[in-house]
Amino acid sequence: MPIPADGGSCAPGFEQAALEQLAVTLRVWGQYAFDLDEIDASAIREQIEHWVRNLLVARSPAETLSSSRNAEPGNANPCDWAGLSEFVTRMRRREQNYVNRQILGTRQVMGDFVQTLGQILAEDQEEQTRVTSIIGKLRCAIESNAPVETLSQEAIHAIDLITHITQEREQRHQVMLHHLTTRLQTLRGELDAAQREMELDSMTRLYNRKAFDTQMDRVFELSQLSGQPACLMMVDADFFKTINDGFGHPVGDLVLRRLANCCAEAFPRKTDFVARYGGEEFAVVFQDTSLKTAIQLGERLLDAVRAMTIEHESVIIRITISIGLAEIDPHASAGQWLRATDSALYRAKSNGRDQLACQTAS
């Protein structure tokens, strides 16, 4: 922010406009954030939004939004500019490192391909020169009216040499093909692993929101074609904010990881797709599963979470969950299926939480 020439402070209106523009810039950055090695795009957006609130209310980022809204302007703390600068610098360096590694990997693959192709072309050119020389000698023998015995010897010699060159080329190409195939298989495995990593939530190691959206659409289309039943479940940790406020975000993260493990253990079938939907909310897609069966699975998860204990500094933390459940409707869209599940979850929470509610997707 420019400093006035007279050394005085900036006009309040100008300062507020500058802060608001900086907040807009940060939000644009968050809007186009992408997954990095140990942090996904949604977590980056959450952190950026945290700093945006800090800018706009000029309070410490450790304070909650509710307390910031109730704070008197005259009592607001200065913005943590050093912390914001450190956050932006750290994130940009991580983005730079991530992108540089991707570019380096691509360059290495292209380099291997170009090197192998160049080697093949160079060796083929060398062989072509040898074949041309052999044919040239045979032509000279023919044009010099050499005896038939000499022509026969030159022809047999030429055939033997060309056959030998052909066999060498075939063996060499087989070796190169094997090398390239092995390299491609390795790259394919690395790309598959990278793809799977991109589909995982960095904290809970469940599938992330993007992977869930893809799976839900896939199951919806499959169900429409086959007529098989399918169910969608939304799980929300009850009163999770009190855990973050009372114990801190690290403990809140621990609780979410334990809940994620509980969900994964409760739905072990290969067709059960468990994902972190966002925040303290999880989603499960049940393929080829009736509503009756899904209700039984949901009740089993409720019991498992009630029995779960989390220890922190000799304190036992217990949580409950609310579950919304909806069976697919052949006459409804995938969006209506998701909204029906959300409505069921809302009803479960409105009715007192720690329970399951169902709704038809229509």
Side-chain angles (χ1 to χ4, degrees), residues 8 15 250 253 269 296 359:
E15 181 177 349
D253 292 346
R269 300 183 306 176
Q296 295 173 347
Q359 185 157 324

Side-chain angles (χ1 to χ4, degrees), residues 26 33 36-38 62 66 81 116 137 171 227 261-262 276 317 327:
L26 287 173
L36 300 177
D37 290 329
E38 296 180 353
S66 59
W81 293 110
T116 302
K137 290 181 179 179
Q171 293 175 355
N261 292 339
C262 192
R276 185 185 181 191
I317 301 174
E327 186 174 20

